[in-house]
Amino acid sequence: MTICPLCNGLRAFHFFCPRCQTEMEDQGKVTDYFDDYSPYMEIDVMKQVDGYPMTRRNHECVHLFSCPYCQNEEVRFIKE
Ligand SMILES: [Zn+2]
Ligand SMILES: [Zn+2]
């Protein structure tokens, strides 16, 4: 079983907002996020997640980052 370093707090991941260069905050795994909120999410966003068929095969954990400054949201693949 693979372990995501971010989910398990093994490693900090610093990612900066491409729009304003503010350090973005890890919102956790996208999959967890959608388990909780999927009934309320927009279809476009769900499609976006479904558009990543490689992640399971590559053992990558998909994290959602949000910028506290400009509310930009970015999805990043974390190698497990
Ligand atoms: Zn993770
Ligand atoms: Zn930003």
Side-chain angles (χ1 to χ4, degrees):
M1 196 179 157
T2 52
I3 297 168
C4 170
L6 219 63
C7 289
N8 291 274
L10 299 175
R11 189 164 17 119
F13 186 86
H14 299 286
F15 176 64
F16 295 89
C17 178
R19 289 188 194 166
C20 68
Q21 312 308 316
T22 300
E23 185 166 356
M24 300 184 82
E25 294 173 349
D26 181 16
Q27 302 296 308
K29 279 169 73 170
V30 167
T31 47
D32 288 349
Y33 194 73
F34 285 124
D35 280 348
D36 290 342
Y37 296 102
S38 53
Y40 311 105
M41 296 303 284
E42 299 197 8
I43 289 165
D44 280 354
V45 180
M46 295 301 289
K47 269 190 199 158
Q48 201 182 354
V49 172
D50 289 340
Y52 300 135
M54 296 299 285
T55 54
R56 201 169 285 270
R57 211 175 308 156
N58 290 349
H59 301 295
E60 286 173 326
C61 187
V62 186
H63 279 252
L64 180 70
F65 287 83
S66 75
C67 174
Y69 184 75
C70 72
Q71 268 72 57
N72 182 31
E73 289 189 338
E74 294 281 325
V75 171
R76 277 294 170 272
F77 300 95
I78 310 300
K79 198 80 179 164
E80 291 184 344

